[in-house]
Amino acid sequence: MLVIEGIIEEIIFRNETNGYTVARLNTSDGSITIVGNTMVVNLEEMVEVEGEWVYHNTFGEQLQFTSIRTVVPSTLKGIENYLSSGLLPYIGPKTAKNIVDRFGMDSLEIIQYNPERLKEIPGIGDKKLEKIAKAYEEHRELRDIMVYLQQYDITVNNGIKIYKKYGKDTINIISENPYRLTEDVYGIGFKTADKIAEKMGISIDSPFRIEAGLKFVMMESAGEGHCYLPKEELLSKAFKLLEVDNSLVEDGLKSLALNRRFQIVQEGEDTLVYYMPFHIAENNVARKIVELSRVDFQDVELDIDSHIERIESEEGIQFGNKQTIAIRECLENGVTIITGGPGTGKTTTINAIIKIYEEMGLKVVLAAPTGRAAKRMTETTGRESKTIHRLLEFSYMEEDMAFNRDEDSPIDGDVVIIDESSMIDILLMNSLLKAINPGTRLILVGDIDQLPSVGPGNVLRDIINSGSIRIVELDEIFRQAEESMIVVNAHRINKGEMPIVNEKDRDFFFIGELSTKKTVETIISLNKERLPNFYGVDPIRDIQVLTPMKKGDVGINALNQHLQEDLNPRSKDKREKQIGDTIFRTGDKVMQIKNNYNTEWKIIRDGIEVEKGEGVFNGDFGYILDIDEEEHILKVLFDEEKEVEYGFNQLDELKLAYATTVHKAQGSEFPVIIMPIHWGPPMLLTRNLIYTAITRARELVVLVGDGRYLKEMIDNNRIARRYSTLDKKIKEFLIAFYA
């Protein structure tokens, strides 16, 4: 192995995703080309590389390095370049120059041993100082750890995540059991850990590997909505994945059950295997639903009919029969479910219920699973609604999430109303019910014909199927709603009928395009010119493209690239930051793609911070306000008021969102929806997917594509089965309650 020292004089190529770098290194013997993977490399940085010479047919002789480490810069210019390289927060080119001008060759020693002196530099206060000093120390550790990780082909982004999780213990932990990564580090799956283990020489029949494989299969199934797997299905998938003797997999399953990671349940002739948190959550939800629903409120003296008549008179409306029943059931029962499609009066019914409860002197609490759904609930009720996470006062410490509201500190309210309940998975429902005391009424509002939750479980449908809870299905379309073809067609589609389209001066259109290329061109034209010119809508904020797929010509990846180029093109006035294949630009519409409970947000009005908090969630939409190369920060505005700062190393949490999948749009509502209709896997081209998509639109729906596939979707009433037993457990707890 050759060891060569020099100064980076040119970076020819760099892949931000995997760190692959081609650079020119100025050595004492002249310039050479170096190639390899590295966490970060900076112009004018003094480095020591270790590697071997290789010959490239096009580019000639190169040094392919296996390790690279920074040597402390020996010139003022080198120190300045090192500090402004992006390694340290809040130090960009201007601040780096000020530090070097102030401290000269002692700059790095000052940062390491006497960082308080950095406050002598304009613009560096206590908060910035703390972050700079911490990042400098982490960077020194990180360099050594990244060299270790790169030998296992771990990407730069994943390497940084691993270091953030394990810190200085990274090497010891991974050496002992690389499969821990699959549970501890977001974005690292079994296959990545398996490759690392193979390079380490860990046997394929290692118990660590077998248990990790079983957990991987179980978590993959959770991603498909399952709370458990039949034992034979779990073992079959694990055998295929692990390729080891069947008896070893059986032993691994027994070990996981003994260690309380899995729960094995005998259900008649079937053996079910649960991931333990899902098993506990199902039991808790079933028990709590029964407890809440069995509270007797019959002794409440209330003339419900007179209240209803007065509200009808004040609002100038007349409730339908089902609405009246829903109001009565919610007042008389501990748990009530109100379901119904668009235009069936759910909002009017809920508003009446809220008004009556408030007149009774009871405190009503409103919430929804997503920020946009909560905001819409606030708008339609005129009362504050929160996300369920915020209602439960989540906190995030040492990478563990917890809710401050639970059995010991319940929600402060007499009535809890949850909208968009079909989106709630089993874990979130468990946390919610823990925080509701018996005697508090719970009202779940939702549309069971929409797509189910992204997370495991089929909560709303299972509660309904248990037959144990009061349910009112609103099914009458009211006169005003009948004027909207969006509402009419949603109900037609739900019945398996083709929509009525292209009626003059209406709000539902279909544009036939047989090729995906023409479909994309039409979608761009609709976004950029036709709809803004005719309807006066904003092409970025008011129009949302929804699609079933991520890949392909009409998938979100391709559509986002096209729409960004046309709706927010590159210009000298807009700042950019490229991460992998994605370019983020000021003005872009983006989406958060994972829950991050400790990301800080703040609300600023007239230059004054009026509120701050924590938490940005999977599916939240926002707009890029600014990209600051000096401080290595990208700023996003969520919910029209919450400002969030992302470090450049956090940008894998964001995705362009001019187009998004229908699943990600659940709980959201947009003025205008455009949707491509073309071939896709049958599991995606379903009736409930097209139904969910069009019910996201408030004012206008435009479908573009091939009518054959629209008919296929409407005919395909396939609802993928989810393995859950919540409905059965509710029945069992109900029997036990009366035993």
Side-chain angles (χ1 to χ4, degrees):
M1 282 281 185
L2 294 171
V3 178
I4 297 176
E5 197 173 278
I7 296 173
I8 301 292
E9 62 180 10
E10 181 184 4
I11 298 174
I12 300 168
F13 172 80
R14 177 164 175 76
N15 184 320
E16 292 287 348
T17 302
N18 60 23
Y20 181 76
T21 302
V22 181
R24 293 289 292 174
L25 186 69
N26 189 350
T27 74
S28 58
D29 295 324
S31 291
I32 62 172
T33 299
I34 60 172
V35 297
N37 292 77
T38 177
M39 178 194 71
V40 67
V41 65
N42 306 290
L43 285 173
E44 301 292 335
E45 189 173 36
M46 175 73 75
V47 297
E48 180 185 88
V49 295
E50 184 176 344
E52 299 284 1
W53 290 108
V54 295
Y55 188 83
H56 191 282
N57 289 335
T58 303
F59 301 110
E61 196 172 47
Q62 303 172 331
L63 184 78
Q64 185 164 356
F65 61 84
T66 54
S67 74
I68 181 170
R69 69 179 187 87
T70 302
V71 178
V72 176
S74 56
T75 66
L76 291 175
K77 185 63 177 173
I79 294 172
E80 185 178 328
N81 287 332
Y82 175 76
L83 291 176
S84 64
S85 63
L87 301 174
L88 306 179
Y90 299 106
I91 297 184
K94 183 179 176 182
T95 305
K97 186 176 188 309
N98 289 339
I99 291 173
V100 173
D101 287 346
R102 174 68 174 163
F103 301 120
M105 294 300 296
D106 296 330
S107 295
L108 298 181
E109 284 201 8
I110 292 288
I111 294 173
Q112 184 174 358
Y113 299 112
N114 195 10
E116 281 289 322
R117 290 198 60 193
L118 287 178
K119 289 197 285 188
E120 298 173 23
I121 306 300
I124 298 181
D126 289 334
K127 186 176 179 181
K128 287 187 179 181
L129 171 65
E130 182 182 350
K131 290 187 176 182
I132 291 169
K134 182 180 178 183
Y136 185 79
E137 184 60 34
E138 286 180 349
H139 176 64
R140 295 179 61 207
E141 287 180 352
L142 184 55
R143 281 279 187 180
D144 294 336
I145 288 169
M146 288 303 296
V147 170
Y148 170 81
L149 295 177
Q150 283 168 9
Q151 66 183 308
Y152 302 116
D153 298 326
I154 295 174
T155 66
V156 174
N157 285 343
N158 281 340
I160 292 171
K161 291 177 188 175
I162 292 168
Y163 174 75
K164 282 184 176 179
K165 176 65 181 177
Y166 301 135
K168 63 180 182 296
D169 297 323
T170 297
I171 294 174
N172 289 337
I173 289 171
I174 293 178
S175 299
E176 179 186 350
N177 178 14
Y179 293 102
R180 277 188 60 177
L181 294 169
T182 62
E183 292 189 67
D184 294 343
V185 182
Y186 172 79
I188 296 184
F190 174 80
K191 293 177 182 177
T192 299
D194 211 27
K195 288 178 182 177
I196 298 169
E198 183 181 7
K199 289 194 172 187
M200 287 181 171
I202 293 175
S203 169
I204 66 167
D205 58 6
S206 160
F208 286 140
R209 179 174 184 267
I210 291 166
E211 290 184 16
L214 284 160
K215 284 182 277 189
F216 171 76
V217 171
M218 192 64 81
M219 297 317 294
E220 284 279 288
S221 74
E224 297 170 1
H226 301 306
C227 291
Y228 71 85
L229 280 179
K231 180 181 176 183
E232 293 309 312
E233 185 175 335
L234 170 62
L235 293 176
S236 174
K237 290 180 176 180
F239 295 151
K240 185 176 179 181
L241 174 73
L242 295 166
E243 298 180 335
V244 297
D245 187 84
N246 292 3
S247 64
L248 295 176
V249 181
E250 292 264 16
D251 289 343
L253 177 56
K254 290 175 185 175
S255 175
L256 287 165
L258 285 170
N259 291 321
R260 304 279 296 162
R261 305 300 298 278
F262 285 5
Q263 179 72 34
I264 299 175
V265 177
Q266 197 65 37
E267 181 106 355
E269 296 181 359
D270 300 322
T271 304
L272 317 181
V273 183
Y274 279 87
Y275 179 53
M276 185 61 79
F278 302 157
H279 175 68
I280 292 171
E282 272 200 352
N283 283 336
N284 289 347
V285 168
R287 175 183 55 79
K288 199 62 184 281
I289 282 288
V290 170
E291 285 180 3
L292 291 171
S293 67
R294 296 307 115 178
V295 175
D296 186 3
F297 294 100
Q298 296 298 326
D299 58 344
V300 175
E301 293 184 7
L302 181 69
D303 187 346
I304 297 174
D305 291 334
S306 66
H307 277 278
I308 291 174
E309 289 171 7
R310 185 176 48 74
I311 292 172
E312 287 179 325
S313 176
E314 290 174 354
E315 302 291 334
I317 60 175
Q318 183 169 359
F319 292 113
N321 181 52
K322 290 286 187 73
Q323 287 181 296
T324 302
I325 293 171
I327 295 169
R328 186 179 299 280
E329 294 287 0
C330 289
L331 293 169
E332 293 179 349
N333 294 290
V335 180
T336 310
I337 295 176
I338 300 175
T339 74
T344 56
K346 292 195 298 291
T347 297
T348 308
T349 305
I350 292 304
N351 283 339
I353 292 165
I354 294 170
K355 184 172 286 191
I356 295 172
Y357 272 132
E358 288 178 342
E359 289 170 355
M360 293 169 61
L362 300 181
K363 182 175 180 180
V364 180
V365 175
L366 309 179
T370 68
R372 292 182 77 96
K375 184 177 181 183
R376 193 169 74 249
M377 197 178 189
T378 296
E379 293 167 351
T380 58
T381 63
R383 294 158 178 83
E384 182 186 20
S385 175
K386 301 177 180 179
T387 63
I388 295 174
H389 285 83
R390 192 174 172 200
L391 174 65
L392 298 179
E393 298 177 8
F394 66 84
S395 59
Y396 194 84
M397 299 182 65
E398 298 181 359
E399 303 200 9
D400 288 322
M401 184 193 74
F403 291 112
N404 292 325
R405 293 290 181 183
D406 54 20
E407 303 97 323
D408 299 323
S409 179
I411 294 167
D412 180 19
D414 303 299
V415 184
V416 176
I417 304 177
I418 307 294
D419 200 7
E420 296 285 358
S421 297
S422 63
M423 295 179 63
I424 305 176
D425 64 34
I426 193 67
L427 296 179
L428 185 56
M429 181 58 85
N430 181 36
S431 297
L432 173 66
L433 295 182
K434 278 183 181 179
I436 298 178
N437 267 341
T440 301
R441 292 172 173 89
L442 173 65
I443 302 168
L444 300 175
V445 185
D447 184 347
I448 59 170
D449 294 314
Q450 289 185 21
L451 294 169
S453 62
V454 174
N458 209 4
V459 175
L460 186 64
R461 189 177 290 274
D462 278 354
I463 295 174
I464 292 171
N465 289 344
S466 74
S468 307
I469 305 301
R470 302 285 185 168
I471 300 151
V472 182
E473 182 180 359
L474 303 178
D475 52 14
E476 178 186 353
I477 303 177
F478 288 89
R479 185 178 303 166
Q480 186 177 359
E482 285 179 340
E483 297 172 4
S484 166
M485 295 311 298
I486 297 173
V487 172
V488 170
N489 284 332
H491 288 272
R492 288 180 65 88
I493 287 169
N494 214 17
K495 295 174 184 175
E497 301 171 3
M498 290 291 284
I500 300 168
V501 300
N502 300 342
E503 291 198 343
K504 187 178 179 182
D505 299 327
R506 303 306 287 268
D507 55 11
F508 201 107
F509 296 90
F510 182 87
I511 300 174
E513 298 289 3
L514 295 180
S515 76
T516 54
K517 181 180 178 183
K518 287 292 293 180
T519 293
V520 171
E521 291 173 359
T522 300
I523 288 174
I524 291 169
S525 174
L526 287 165
N527 270 272
K528 189 176 180 181
E529 298 158 353
R530 292 165 63 176
L531 297 182
N533 291 343
F534 192 82
Y535 292 96
V537 293
D538 184 287
I540 296 179
R541 293 181 179 264
D542 294 335
I543 301 174
Q544 183 62 50
V545 178
L546 298 182
T547 179
M549 293 160 289
K550 295 180 180 178
K551 298 179 180 178
D553 294 341
V554 291
I556 59 170
N557 297 333
L559 285 171
N560 271 318
Q561 188 173 344
H562 290 303
L563 290 166
Q564 182 191 47
E565 289 170 1
D566 281 271
L567 301 181
N568 191 31
R570 176 174 292 169
S571 81
K572 62 180 180 181
D573 300 323
K574 298 173 185 174
R575 298 179 179 179
E576 295 183 356
K577 178 63 180 176
Q578 183 163 357
I579 300 293
D581 297 329
T582 301
I583 295 172
F584 292 107
R585 187 175 295 142
T586 52
D588 276 337
K589 181 193 286 188
V590 293
M591 176 191 284
Q592 177 81 9
I593 60 171
K594 62 168 284 193
N595 289 333
N596 192 325
Y597 301 98
N598 61 345
T599 292
E600 295 180 358
W601 54 262
K602 55 189 175 184
I603 297 174
I604 298 174
R605 296 187 185 129
D606 299 323
I608 300 172
E609 182 180 305
V610 296
E611 187 180 350
K612 64 181 180 179
E614 293 182 333
V616 185
F617 302 106
N618 187 1
D620 285 352
F621 287 84
Y623 304 91
I624 297 178
L625 292 175
D626 189 27
I627 299 173
D628 192 331
E629 288 284 355
E630 173 77 15
E631 298 192 352
H632 319 297
I633 284 171
L634 184 148
K635 188 180 294 184
V636 178
L637 183 70
F638 289 101
D639 297 331
E640 305 297 336
E641 60 178 4
K642 294 179 181 177
E643 293 187 13
V644 176
E645 291 184 352
Y646 291 82
F648 285 170
N649 62 351
Q650 293 177 277
L651 295 185
D652 60 342
E653 296 183 15
L654 291 176
K655 199 172 187 69
L656 293 177
Y658 298 96
T660 188
T661 61
V662 179
H663 285 83
K664 287 287 189 184
Q666 281 181 270
S668 298
E669 190 177 72
F670 310 92
V672 181
I673 289 298
I674 301 174
M675 184 174 180
I677 305 291
H678 278 283
W679 181 90
M683 64 182 293
L684 291 179
L685 300 190
T686 63
R687 183 186 299 175
N688 67 346
L689 186 136
I690 184 72
Y691 173 82
T692 301
I694 68 171
T695 55
R696 301 305 89 207
R698 194 163 59 242
E699 299 168 13
L700 181 67
V701 169
V702 184
L703 307 179
V704 185
D706 190 333
R708 293 175 300 170
Y709 296 110
L710 177 59
K711 187 173 189 314
E712 266 191 35
M713 294 181 84
I714 294 169
D715 289 343
N716 182 9
N717 198 25
R718 172 181 181 269
I719 298 175
R721 182 186 175 188
R722 290 188 164 206
Y723 290 127
S724 63
T725 55
L726 178 61
D727 53 348
K728 295 176 184 176
K729 288 177 178 175
I730 291 173
K731 292 175 185 176
E732 291 168 1
F733 273 101
L734 190 60
I735 292 169
F737 185 87
Y738 286 112

